[in-house]
């Protein structure tokens, strides 16, 4: 599953839309995290992690700084999280996370993505029970047993460590995210983390083929064009 997970991340990155969309996404996320948890990255681990992700996505420093400065003010937008679930093209399962200051606009935009691709939006809990909310780390390496041993020595609850095609992937409960980051920084600095995130990992996968592939790609593109959509999780696997 490790390599397959990495491939899905890479394929989704190819359809990430224009840079302005990426900048806007991270700017909004940094603003909300800083507004709610404090503007000092040293005291707000979630903020520090998001800033690191933004830098990896080549978000300019001024975009990050502007979002933090904005969070220091007393006014500003009032963004709230919103999550939508359903079945996408080919009957794959989909979870969509948003940050919105206008819930009516957001649900209308997301629903349109489902409707125009012959998909079906569901109610809360429709598919999320078929995903595990996990911390995922991927990096180049060949000694998965040593990685597991180091994490266990750090008293970290690890769900799985997989090695496939020179890529090690660590899965753990999402609550262990920062403990794992600290363990890599202190005990395994030789590894360069290529994926480090809290995400929804599907328990099973749905293979998509034929006309559904094109419709699925259209579905992702439409979601990426929605200004309030932050993350899209799915269990689709494109047939080769």
């Amino acid at each position: 599953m490790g390599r397959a997970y990495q491939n899905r991340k890479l394929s989704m990155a190819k359809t990430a839309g224009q840079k302005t969309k990426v900048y806007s996404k991270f700017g909004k996320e940094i603003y909300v995290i800083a507004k709610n948890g404090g503007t000092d990255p040293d005291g707000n681990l979630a903020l520090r992690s998001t800033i690191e992700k933004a830098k990896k996505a080549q978000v300019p420093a001024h975009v990050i700084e502007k979002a933090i400065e904005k969070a220091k003010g007393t006014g500003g937008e009032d963004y709230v999280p919103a999550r939508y679930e359903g079945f996408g093209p080919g009957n794959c399962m989909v979870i969509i996370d948003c940050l919105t200051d206008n819930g009516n606009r957001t649900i209308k935009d997301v629903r349109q993505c489902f409707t125009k691709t012959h998909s079906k939006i569901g109610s809360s809990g429709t598919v999320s029970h078929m995903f595990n909310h996990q911390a995922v780390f991927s990096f180049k390496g060949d000694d998965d047993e040593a990685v597991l041993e180091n994490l266990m020595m750090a008293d970290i609850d690890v769900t799985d460590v997989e090695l496939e095609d020179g890529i090690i992937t660590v899965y753990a409960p999402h609550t262990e995210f920062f403990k794992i980051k600290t363990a890599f920084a202190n005990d395994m600095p030789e590894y360069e983390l290529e994926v480090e995130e809290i995400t929804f990992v599907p328990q099973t996968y749905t293979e998509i083929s034929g006309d559904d592939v094109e419709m699925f790609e259209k579905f992702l593109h439409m979601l990426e064009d929605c200004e309030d959509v932050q993350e899209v999780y799915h269990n689709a696997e494109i047939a080769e």
Side-chain angles (χ1 to χ4, degrees):
M1 186 166 64
R3 168 55 73 173
Y5 178 84
Q6 182 82 340
N7 285 344
R8 275 192 300 278
K9 292 298 297 181
L10 291 172
S11 66
M12 287 183 71
K14 291 176 184 175
T15 61
Q18 298 181 0
K19 288 182 179 179
T20 50
K21 167 68 177 175
V22 177
Y23 298 169
S24 173
K25 169 191 164 184
F26 277 108
K28 188 185 294 186
E29 188 173 355
I30 289 169
Y31 166 77
V32 170
I33 293 172
K35 190 81 172 175
N36 294 331
T39 57
D40 180 8
D42 291 331
N44 186 341
L45 294 178
L47 177 60
R48 187 167 71 189
S49 175
T50 304
I51 290 173
E52 289 173 2
K53 285 173 64 177
K55 288 179 177 178
K56 282 189 176 183
Q58 299 182 326
V59 175
H62 70 84
V63 173
I64 297 171
E65 292 164 4
K66 182 179 178 182
I68 293 175
E69 285 300 316
K70 192 175 176 183
K72 292 178 180 177
T74 55
E77 295 89 346
D78 183 20
Y79 292 110
V80 295
R83 176 171 293 157
Y84 305 100
E85 305 177 29
F87 294 91
N91 210 37
C92 67
M93 293 182 286
V94 184
I95 299 174
I96 301 158
D97 275 351
C98 304
L99 282 174
T100 178
D101 59 353
N102 185 329
N104 290 333
R105 178 192 65 222
T106 305
I107 182 61
K108 179 182 176 183
D109 290 347
V110 171
R111 190 185 300 277
Q112 191 173 53
C113 296
F114 280 92
T115 302
K116 290 195 172 182
T117 55
H118 311 298
S119 305
K120 183 178 180 181
I121 192 169
S123 57
S124 177
T126 299
V127 301
S128 56
H129 65 284
M130 293 299 294
F131 290 75
N132 296 322
H133 198 202
Q134 290 189 306
V136 179
F137 296 80
S138 283
F139 47 92
K140 292 184 176 69
D142 55 17
D143 195 344
D144 54 319
E145 292 184 5
V147 170
L148 176 59
E149 184 176 343
N150 280 331
L151 293 174
M152 292 179 68
M153 289 290 288
D155 195 28
I156 292 171
D157 180 13
V158 178
T159 304
D160 199 8
V161 177
E162 297 182 346
L163 169 62
E164 189 174 350
D165 297 336
I167 297 290
I168 296 175
T169 304
V170 175
Y171 297 90
H174 66 93
T175 51
E176 301 289 89
F177 181 82
F178 291 109
K179 286 174 67 176
I180 294 174
K181 275 184 67 71
T182 301
F184 275 106
N186 294 341
D187 305 325
M188 296 176 282
E190 67 273 18
Y191 292 116
E192 182 178 347
L193 299 174
E194 297 180 4
V195 173
E196 45 178 310
E197 62 186 8
I198 294 174
T199 186
F200 284 94
V201 179
Q203 298 168 11
T204 60
Y205 294 89
T206 299
E207 186 173 285
I208 293 180
S209 60
D211 294 339
D212 287 333
V213 174
E214 184 177 348
M215 194 62 73
F216 176 67
E217 291 176 349
K218 177 183 177 181
F219 180 65
L220 288 184
H221 279 299
M222 289 184 68
L223 286 170
E224 286 158 4
D225 285 339
C226 294
E227 63 177 293
D228 300 323
V229 172
Q230 293 292 108
E231 298 288 348
V232 178
Y233 312 98
H234 62 81
N235 76 331
E237 244 177 12
I238 307 299
E240 295 183 359

